[in-house]
Amino acid sequence: DYFNPPFYHLDVPEFKDNHGVNANDLYQNVEHYLDTLEGIARARRLTVFRGRNSTITGFCPADDEVVEDSFRGKRVWWNHNAQLQQRNGEGNSNVMNERRCFTLKLAVAQADKEFLCSYLDHIKNRAAEFNLVNKELTLYTNTGEARWGEGWTGVPFKHPSTFDSVALDPLLKADILTDLDRFKRGRDFYRRIGRSWKRGYLLYGPPGTGKSSLVAAIANYMRYDVYDLELTRVIDNTELRVLLTQTKEKSLIIIEDIDCSLNLTDRLANLPEEDESRSRVTLSGLLNFTDGLWSSCGEERII
């Protein structure tokens, strides 16, 4: 037993790597799942969170706190931990990043693959039920740190706009609602025709004509989170792709004022040396973001 401990420990990190690129959906599933367990009430130390203007309180085990669970009559234990990691920043400066993960402890005798896969599927299903009942929409904006961690920060989305309140031509409104309904139930259709499950809308017009209100109405109708992409804070095309990989499914990605917020270059042009501090997102990079190969890294998104 000294060389072969009777327990296995499986880590569920927030990201698959150390660069914040490949978000681990299982991490969030576990976080929501533990919030549903009766055992979490017996923990001596919890992390309690409520977003600004939110009515939902979340509970999660504090670092090194253990929460017990059982599945198919077998006991397992979860705990959460966070570690600071050092990386090189600009000018050879050292920057600290936090690496968060859940750890599952289970007996060696019950750690077969079939049990583990069934348990993780159970967690995913319970987390989906939790999200369906407790989901609050979130408005995200990019932070400029996508290469080294989470590139987005969010606040509760409380915009009151709906299709009942937005000023829109009745026939156009009906067309948009029909299109959204068709999109929402279109998973099998998109797979059958070999296309990414995404939709794009171009809204144009002078300020104050209702573009943002229509976006908010779509978000409230579809129950999608909103990612407001500020192009001037994106360093280059690579970071743009990283930001895309960090967006969740069932979301709206908004790119506002693309004609004036950024000096988009064409496929061949290079910025002069004195402009290296500016965003180097190109028109080609933006088009690949919205409709290229990288745009197919997730499903059920509206741009």
Side-chain angles (χ1 to χ4, degrees), residues 162-212:
T162 67
F163 276 99
D164 292 329
S165 64
V166 69
L168 202 61
D169 177 86
L171 292 179
L172 180 59
K173 181 186 298 187
D175 288 343
I176 294 175
L177 288 172
T178 300
D179 190 66
L180 291 172
D181 290 337
R182 185 187 302 117
F183 174 78
K184 179 179 284 189
R185 60 176 182 266
R187 178 194 297 270
D188 294 337
F189 169 77
Y190 280 90
R191 289 183 177 178
R192 187 169 65 251
I193 65 174
R195 301 279 293 180
S196 300
W197 190 13
K198 66 179 187 296
R199 199 81 173 112
Y201 293 105
L202 174 65
L203 310 181
Y204 63 95
T209 53
K211 298 186 296 296
S212 297

Side-chain angles (χ1 to χ4, degrees), residues 198-202 252-253 255 289-290 295 301-303:
K198 66 179 187 296
R199 199 81 173 112
Y201 293 105
L202 174 65
L252 266 73
I253 302 174
I255 310 173
F289 175 88
T290 58
S295 67
R301 290 193 181 102
I302 295 177
I303 299 177

Side-chain angles (χ1 to χ4, degrees), residues 14-35:
E14 186 177 12
F15 294 97
K16 185 178 180 181
D17 49 42
N18 294 327
H19 302 289
V21 176
N22 297 314
N24 186 1
D25 289 343
L26 186 57
Y27 178 89
Q28 191 173 63
N29 289 340
V30 172
E31 185 176 38
H32 292 162
Y33 173 74
L34 294 182
D35 200 359

Side-chain angles (χ1 to χ4, degrees), residues 117-129:
C117 290
S118 297
Y119 181 50
L120 295 180
D121 287 340
H122 168 71
I123 289 174
K124 179 181 178 181
N125 294 333
R126 285 286 299 274
E129 294 172 1

Side-chain angles (χ1 to χ4, degrees), residues 216-257:
I218 292 174
N220 286 323
Y221 181 76
M222 301 291 282
R223 303 304 298 166
Y224 283 1
D225 291 329
V226 179
Y227 290 86
D228 187 5
L229 177 63
E230 178 58 60
L231 282 175
T232 57
R233 301 196 66 182
V234 183
I235 297 175
D236 52 24
N237 294 337
T238 300
E239 184 173 49
L240 189 63
R241 290 193 292 266
V242 172
L243 285 168
L244 180 61
T245 64
Q246 293 182 3
T247 59
K248 303 173 185 177
E249 298 180 349
K250 297 182 182 294
S251 63
L252 266 73
I253 302 174
I254 312 302
I255 310 173
E256 295 193 68
D257 300 328

Side-chain angles (χ1 to χ4, degrees), residues 27-95:
Y27 178 89
Q28 191 173 63
N29 289 340
V30 172
E31 185 176 38
H32 292 162
Y33 173 74
L34 294 182
D35 200 359
T36 69
L37 296 181
E38 295 181 0
I40 200 169
R42 295 191 292 271
R44 296 186 177 184
R45 190 160 178 252
L46 296 172
T47 298
V48 186
F49 176 80
R50 177 180 288 179
R52 183 181 301 171
N53 300 323
S54 175
T55 59
I56 296 177
T57 302
F59 295 89
C60 180
D63 289 351
D64 300 324
E65 184 70 33
V66 177
V67 175
E68 183 178 324
D69 187 25
S70 64
F71 182 68
R72 293 181 178 175
K74 300 177 180 179
R75 299 166 63 196
V76 298
W77 296 265
W78 287 99
N79 78 293
H80 184 267
N81 59 80
Q83 297 178 342
L84 289 177
Q85 294 184 329
Q86 183 175 296
R87 66 172 176 84
N88 293 327
E90 296 182 0
N92 294 324
S93 61
N94 293 325
V95 179

